[in-house]
Amino acid sequence: NAGVTQTPKFQVLKTGQSMTLQCAQDMNHEYMSWYRQDPGMGLRLIHYSVGAGITDQGEVPNGYNVSRSTTEDFPLRLLSAAPSQTSVYFCASSYSGGAGYGYTFGSGTRLTVV
Amino acid sequence: KQEVTQIPAALSVPEGENLVLNCSFTDSAIYNLQWFRQDPGKGLTSLLLIQSSQREQTSGRLNASLDKSSGRSTLYIAASQPGDSATYLCAHRGGTALIFGKGTTLSVSS
């Protein structure tokens, strides 16, 4: 099925551990982005990419790293997990050309840092 | 800083009622605006997308309008049903990514 696939769906980390949240899309979308969703804070942009090899920071980038080596994949790396990174993470993608294209979201990764 | 505000934060209505959810944004030069639905513990499902050149979009019982000059969008839900209970999020495309409001949580009682 075409769409945005996120893995894993759930993860528990210990403080200081590192991990990579995977995001893949099969729609040949140029734009990809990562959001975190926290109660009372809404969805906040972490990092985004406008194409392979191009990434930029969003509103809350500290503690996270991204790369975009292919059009399909946009992994999010937690370098040294902290309890403040406990959140639900969503990956999204969109075509770049034209205002008629909206964003498609993955089903999310629920991360707990203890 | 671009901001999106959704009012009310929560809304409870009886089944069958027509209702309006509000979304306001500070960036008048938006590219498009998208309404999403989110069920508890789930991801975001796109409901409607309005391009900056459009005034409204309709899908079934849902109608979304856009007024760029006043920085407002509304989502109209006709004949609400218990299955409409969810959180509704609006987001506008600020450059290459979406800027979200905090959502309106709707509860429809039977």
Side-chain angles (χ1 to χ4, degrees):
Chain A
N1 292 334
V4 179
T5 302
Q6 289 185 240
T7 56
K9 293 190 181 303
F10 302 94
Q11 183 71 47
V12 178
L13 285 180
K14 293 182 179 179
T15 297
Q17 286 185 318
S18 63
M19 78 159 294
T20 299
L21 278 62
Q22 301 291 344
C23 175
Q25 53 90 8
D26 57 3
M27 299 172 283
N28 204 30
H29 286 171
E30 296 91 344
Y31 291 173
M32 296 187 74
S33 49
W34 277 101
Y35 296 84
R36 60 177 289 174
Q37 186 175 36
D38 303 291
M41 301 297 292
L43 281 135
R44 293 179 292 170
L45 180 66
I46 304 172
H47 284 285
Y48 64 96
S49 170
V50 299
I54 306 170
T55 64
D56 207 346
Q57 297 180 350
E59 182 183 358
V60 288
N62 292 339
Y64 307 94
N65 199 3
V66 293
S67 61
R68 184 99 179 267
S69 57
T70 67
T71 300
E72 295 77 18
D73 300 300
F74 191 43
L76 178 71
R77 297 181 184 84
L78 279 68
L79 308 174
S80 178
S84 61
Q85 294 178 303
T86 294
S87 186
V88 181
Y89 292 85
F90 288 101
C91 179
S93 70
S94 175
Y95 284 115
S96 63
Y101 296 104
Y103 272 81
T104 300
F105 278 75
S107 58
T109 294
R110 188 173 297 272
L111 176 68
T112 301
V113 183
V114 298
Chain B
K1 178 183 177 184
Q2 299 172 10
E3 292 186 351
V4 178
T5 303
Q6 291 188 247
I7 295 173
L11 181 64
S12 293
V13 301
E15 181 177 8
E17 191 162 302
N18 302 325
L19 59 101
V20 174
L21 307 181
N22 296 294
C23 172
S24 61
F25 45 90
T26 55
D27 184 5
S28 62
I30 66 169
Y31 200 56
N32 60 31
L33 188 136
Q34 203 166 353
W35 282 93
F36 295 88
R37 169 184 173 140
Q38 186 177 30
D39 293 292
K42 302 296 184 181
L44 280 71
T45 300
S46 181
L47 297 174
L48 290 165
L49 179 142
I50 311 176
Q51 300 179 54
S52 58
S53 59
Q54 298 174 327
R55 297 282 296 185
E56 65 179 281
Q57 283 286 333
T58 298
S59 176
R61 295 183 293 109
L62 305 179
N63 175 276
S65 68
L66 176 64
D67 183 344
K68 286 198 308 177
S69 62
S70 65
R72 293 171 62 182
S73 177
T74 62
L75 179 66
Y76 174 82
I77 301 177
S80 59
Q81 303 171 358
D84 294 330
S85 298
T87 296
Y88 292 81
L89 298 157
C90 72
H92 80 75
R93 188 156 157 180
T96 56
L98 292 174
I99 310 297
F100 279 89
K102 293 183 179 180
T104 295
T105 299
L106 173 65
S107 177
V108 182
S109 56
S110 56

